[in-house]
Amino acid sequence: GAPPWRVASGRREGLACPEFWGWTMRRHMAASLGLALATTIAGAAQAAGFDASRAGDVTSVITSHGASGALKKGDDGRAYFEGQAGNTSFEAHFQTCDGARTHCNTLLLSSSWESKKITIDQINRWNRWTLYCPAFIDHDGSPTLWYAIAVSGNTAQADLADDLGTWMECLHDFDGFVAAPEDFLKNHT
């Protein structure tokens, strides 16, 4: 017979015809289907449990990883988390939400310090040093730190916990920066 990649007698032969699939091809197809099924089942199991797009689930991860605080509702009806890590207060805002505001795709963490002694040059130097948590001077002169995390129903709880660990480290570093900006920058750049 003709090789499987040729067309003969007006009939298409090749991968579309299972009679030409060898055992290796059949094993690969079975493995691919098994992987797809396992991924679907795992995704369904996660959807029934933890969902990083739900504010309540995110709140439980935040409070179980070193912060205290509570989920609140703003004047606009949007949920946000008001928390504290050590002596530093912060907020987690749930953005890019569905119409019912029950599932959100962005978690925006932010914290502001009362100090007015940080200059724009120092903030710019902080931003050149940091990888994850940029900062800016707010309209009232307060240094503000932020960190955005893309989340979904497929985000694993451990991955969110890792991102929140990064945020906690940023809070610690920025607190040191605000306390003594020139010393911090001298020792870290």
Side-chain angles (χ1 to χ4, degrees):
W5 59 85
R6 297 187 187 239
V7 176
S9 304
R11 182 172 165 218
R12 184 167 184 249
E13 297 179 352
L15 292 178
C17 298
E19 65 264 21
F20 288 107
W21 292 358
W23 285 108
T24 300
M25 176 63 101
R26 288 179 184 155
R27 281 194 300 269
H28 287 303
M29 290 296 286
S32 295
L33 289 173
L35 181 61
L37 180 60
T39 302
T40 301
I41 291 170
Q46 181 163 343
F50 175 77
D51 183 343
S53 71
R54 292 189 305 231
D57 289 0
V58 171
T59 296
S60 68
V61 175
I62 293 173
T63 56
S64 67
H65 286 86
S68 60
L71 195 57
K72 300 188 174 194
K73 277 208 185 232
D75 293 338
D76 61 359
R78 292 181 186 215
Y80 70 96
F81 178 84
E82 188 174 84
Q84 188 159 343
N87 293 326
T88 306
S89 298
F90 69 95
E91 292 182 351
H93 294 269
F94 304 93
Q95 300 185 345
T96 323
C97 304
D98 61 10
R101 296 184 179 149
T102 56
H103 290 85
C104 303
N105 293 324
T106 306
L107 176 62
L108 180 62
L109 301 157
S110 66
S111 185
S112 185
W113 278 252
E114 292 180 7
S115 173
K116 308 289 190 232
K117 65 180 181 176
I118 305 297
T119 67
I120 291 174
D121 176 65
Q122 290 167 329
I123 284 289
N124 286 339
R125 288 164 53 207
W126 163 270
N127 288 335
R128 283 191 295 274
W129 173 77
T130 191
L131 178 62
Y132 293 109
C133 300
F136 60 94
I137 303 288
D138 204 347
H139 60 86
D140 67 352
S142 300
T144 302
L145 184 72
W146 65 277
Y147 181 48
I149 304 170
V151 295
S152 74
N154 295 321
T155 302
Q157 190 169 353
D159 292 338
L160 180 60
D162 286 347
D163 283 330
L164 291 170
T166 298
W167 171 246
M168 299 299 178
E169 290 174 17
C170 288
L171 287 174
H172 174 76
D173 286 345
F174 198 71
D175 197 46
F177 167 77
V178 170
E182 289 303 323
D183 289 342
F184 182 92
L185 291 165
K186 186 171 85 176
N187 293 324
H188 291 87
T189 55

